[in-house]
Amino acid sequence: MSVRAARHASSKHANASRRAHWHPPSREELQRQVEQQQREIERLQKQVAERDQQITDREHQIADAEKQIADLERQLAARQKNSTNSSKPPSSDGLAGSSRQRGRRKKSKRKPGGQKGHPGHHRPLAPAAQVQEVRPVLPVECKHCGQSLPQQLDQIQTVGEAQRHQVTELPPIQPYVIEYQCPKVVCPACWEGTRAPLPEEAQGDFGPQLMALIAYLTIYCRMPRRVVEGFLEHVLGIAMSLGSTQKCWEQASAAVAQPCQELEKQLKNEPVLNSDETGWRNNGEKRYLWALVAQSFVFYTVAKTRSSAVLMHLLGAVFAGILCSDRFSAYFKYHKGLAQLCWAHLKRNILGIQDFAKTTDAERFCRDALALYARLFRLWRKFQGSLIDRDQLIARSIPLQKRWFALAEQYLDSDDKEVRNLATALFQHCGRLFTFIEHPGVEPTNNCVEQALRIAVQLRKIIFGNRSAQGEVATARLLTVTQTCKMQGRNALGYLTEAIVCYRRHQPAPSLLPQRR
């Protein structure tokens, strides 16, 4: 027998032996086995359920963590925004966020100072009629032979024109005190004494020019009251209390009330107005300082609200002109006519999305929008440089306007929220972006009124607002006068002085409206 056959026979014998000794399990044993299997299955099912619950909890934790990360990223992006990539004002740059980059993005290779070919500038000599003093400077000795030279003008002989050099200097500063004496004059007819009243411009302890200077230093130069008080005492030699400076300031405000009311009434008749507002404080309470810039004047007012009610109060129920502003909702609610939205605000919004873009939509939208912006303003600069006329500007801008509208429409359903919001704003208000193309006197940006607000923002950071309603009115009036004089090329200090003189004489102050011929 072979080895393989022997192994097969042995295995067959073993299986037969096992079958002979095997007995089928009883019903009780089978029942116990089934119960044991069921307990094992239940245990495993419980473990699976626990694992499923743990996975669900982990998924919720991951979702919460992702949401928290997204919120933190948005907060970080908001803190990193500044006045160059958002609608935040320049006054918010600094500790509140990353400071905006100043100067050139790429360092220039040119040396500082005037370049080759640049025309030189020098201070011209004042006419002889404006020279108060002439001091001759004579040489002591001849530089050729050493001979002593006379030091008297009537003893010397000159050749050619004298070399002229002028030094502008201030005279010694000291207060100019005017004393008004009112003697009691006896009448030769009835022998009774009569005393003349003081001139109206001599009322009070301080003259109109000094009062105008106090208002000018406070508002235009943005000097706090105590600094003004110290300047008057230590520089001008005029001792004055803090309360007296306040009274002078208030009288200057009262003196310009009438011309400021004229400007307010003229606002509704202006063909073009630029408007903006900034925060203000009155004794710690929130206020808003509004500025409206017309063609020939600036008007300021302090209001309790930032709503369209302020515009309705100033401009009437309907404004017939063109209102230029940013995309603040109060302007949309009030004005339904011709308007111009600020392109500078729009560009900063696009740059803000570009700086923190994380989606393909944001990158493409910003790239295309900035390219269209550059083309539009190249065309506008050609018009400003008189390289093209108004008709050419309109004709060449039509394709760009259509592209802006198409770009906004393309991203109305974008998954990126910021892109979708900006595209929606462009789509809804696209017509208000190109008013400057067709209408003379309209600028594409709101920079003129932002510059008008800049001095007010600087003043706010120094004096922290006002402490009374009377102070609000005075601040708005004096800002209106000083900035309007600056726009018109008038001497603000001289105008304030003249207005105070007229106020003391009970005469109307000079008008700030341009005189029509």
Side-chain angles (χ1 to χ4, degrees):
M1 181 183 294
S2 64
V3 175
R4 184 176 182 182
R7 288 179 179 176
H8 179 70
S10 174
S11 175
K12 186 176 180 181
H13 177 73
N15 291 335
S17 176
R18 281 196 296 271
R19 283 195 299 269
H21 292 84
W22 180 80
H23 299 283
S26 64
R27 181 181 295 273
E28 291 77 8
E29 290 179 351
L30 289 175
Q31 185 67 27
R32 285 194 300 270
Q33 290 178 5
V34 170
E35 292 175 355
Q36 185 178 1
Q37 293 290 337
Q38 287 179 347
R39 286 193 298 270
E40 184 65 19
I41 291 172
E42 290 176 356
R43 185 182 65 81
L44 293 176
Q45 288 178 344
K46 185 177 180 180
Q47 289 182 355
V48 171
E50 291 176 353
R51 296 293 174 83
D52 289 343
Q53 184 63 38
Q54 290 177 359
I55 292 173
T56 303
D57 293 341
R58 295 293 187 273
E59 288 177 349
H60 287 317
Q61 291 177 3
I62 292 171
D64 292 341
E66 289 178 347
K67 182 179 179 181
Q68 185 177 7
I69 291 171
D71 290 340
L72 292 174
E73 287 179 345
R74 283 194 294 270
Q75 293 178 18
L76 180 61
R79 291 185 64 84
Q80 290 177 344
K81 287 185 177 181
N82 52 44
S83 60
T84 64
N85 55 20
S86 71
S87 295
K88 297 173 65 176
S91 59
S92 65
D93 292 343
L95 297 178
S98 301
S99 59
R100 63 190 177 100
Q101 184 175 3
R102 302 177 186 274
R104 297 177 179 268
R105 292 183 178 269
K106 294 182 180 180
K107 188 175 181 181
S108 175
K109 296 181 180 179
R110 296 189 303 176
K111 295 182 179 179
Q115 307 300 313
K116 291 184 178 180
H118 177 73
H121 298 280
H122 62 279
R123 185 178 182 85
L125 293 174
Q130 297 180 7
V131 177
Q132 282 77 24
E133 180 182 355
V134 176
R135 297 181 181 180
V137 181
L138 303 178
V140 178
E141 60 182 20
C142 177
K143 67 177 183 180
H144 301 285
C145 65
Q147 174 68 33
S148 297
L149 299 177
Q151 298 298 301
Q152 300 296 328
L153 286 177
D154 55 355
Q155 298 177 358
I156 63 173
Q157 181 180 357
T158 62
V159 58
E161 294 291 334
Q163 179 182 344
R164 300 172 62 197
H165 174 74
Q166 295 179 348
V167 176
T168 303
E169 178 62 292
L170 282 174
I173 300 176
Q174 57 184 2
Y176 189 80
V177 180
I178 303 175
E179 180 179 328
Y180 291 87
Q181 296 183 354
C182 304
K184 198 170 186 180
V185 180
V186 177
C187 175
C190 64
W191 297 97
E192 295 293 334
T194 303
R195 203 183 300 274
L198 283 171
E200 293 178 336
E201 62 270 16
Q203 298 173 0
D205 298 328
F206 307 104
Q209 191 160 348
L210 177 58
M211 299 179 71
L213 177 63
I214 292 172
Y216 183 86
L217 293 175
T218 304
I219 294 296
Y220 192 83
C221 300
R222 303 175 292 282
M223 294 172 61
R225 302 288 169 74
R226 292 200 177 276
V227 177
V228 172
E229 180 187 8
F231 175 81
L232 294 175
E233 181 177 358
H234 302 297
V235 178
L236 302 184
I238 302 173
M240 183 182 295
S241 67
L242 195 64
S244 296
T245 62
Q246 175 68 18
K247 290 180 180 179
C248 292
W249 190 70
E250 292 174 354
Q251 189 170 134
S253 166
V256 296
Q258 183 262 338
C260 289
Q261 290 174 0
E262 286 184 353
L263 297 183
E264 182 177 354
K265 292 179 181 178
Q266 177 62 23
L267 286 173
K268 61 185 69 176
N269 301 322
E270 288 295 309
V272 181
L273 279 179
N274 290 74
S275 178
D276 202 359
E277 70 290 329
T278 188
W280 198 255
R281 291 284 177 181
N282 182 354
N283 209 19
E285 296 182 1
K286 187 68 174 178
R287 295 288 189 274
Y288 294 94
L289 180 71
W290 290 72
L292 293 94
V293 178
Q295 184 178 5
S296 59
F297 66 88
V298 187
F299 181 81
Y300 295 84
T301 186
V302 179
K304 294 182 179 181
T305 178
R306 198 186 177 196
S307 69
S308 57
V310 179
L311 295 170
M312 189 172 298
H313 171 72
L314 294 175
L315 306 179
V318 177
F319 179 57
I322 301 174
L323 186 59
C324 309
S325 64
D326 53 21
R327 299 195 309 275
F328 181 49
S329 59
Y331 298 104
F332 294 143
K333 182 179 179 181
Y334 166 73
H335 188 60
K336 307 300 181 183
L338 283 177
Q340 174 62 54
L341 299 181
C342 179
W343 277 91
H345 281 78
L346 176 61
K347 182 181 180 182
R348 290 196 291 266
N349 293 144
I350 297 172
L351 291 175
I353 297 175
Q354 183 187 52
D355 288 347
F356 307 103
K358 292 188 176 181
T359 63
T360 304
D361 275 3
E363 293 177 356
R364 292 177 178 175
F365 174 78
C366 295
R367 178 198 61 197
D368 296 342
L370 291 174
L372 287 175
Y373 179 93
R375 291 182 58 185
L376 178 65
F377 274 81
R378 278 198 297 268
L379 184 64
W380 175 248
R381 284 191 289 271
K382 286 183 179 180
F383 172 74
Q384 287 182 311
S386 301
L387 299 178
I388 58 176
D389 58 19
R390 178 72 66 174
D391 292 336
Q392 292 174 317
L393 173 66
I394 295 173
R396 294 188 186 184
S397 68
I398 291 176
L400 294 176
Q401 296 183 41
K402 292 180 178 179
R403 289 197 176 189
W404 272 107
F405 188 82
L407 179 66
E409 187 177 21
Q410 179 182 352
Y411 289 93
L412 288 177
D413 299 324
S414 173
D415 294 332
D416 191 303
K417 181 179 178 181
E418 293 190 4
V419 172
R420 184 172 65 251
N421 290 342
L422 187 56
T424 302
L426 288 175
F427 185 81
Q428 293 176 347
H429 307 293
C430 196
R432 295 189 171 198
L433 287 170
F434 301 97
T435 307
F436 75 100
I437 296 290
E438 300 181 3
H439 297 271
V442 180
E443 291 293 323
T445 67
N446 215 27
N447 289 346
C448 62
V449 70
E450 290 186 352
Q451 291 172 358
L453 281 178
R454 186 173 301 164
I455 185 173
V457 172
Q458 294 170 346
L459 183 64
R460 180 189 66 201
K461 288 181 173 291
I462 295 172
I463 68 173
F464 306 107
N466 302 113
R467 299 185 65 181
S468 65
Q470 187 178 1
E472 291 177 352
V473 173
T475 299
R477 287 175 181 171
L478 294 174
L479 281 172
T480 298
V481 169
T482 54
Q483 294 306 300
T484 298
C485 287
K486 180 180 179 181
M487 176 182 287
Q488 297 177 358
R490 301 169 72 169
N491 187 323
L493 182 60
Y495 177 86
L496 287 170
T497 303
E498 187 176 358
I500 294 173
V501 171
C502 292
Y503 175 75
R504 290 185 171 183
R505 291 176 178 175
H506 306 285
Q507 298 174 353
S511 176
L512 287 170
L513 290 173
Q515 301 299 321
R516 297 179 181 179
R517 297 180 179 178

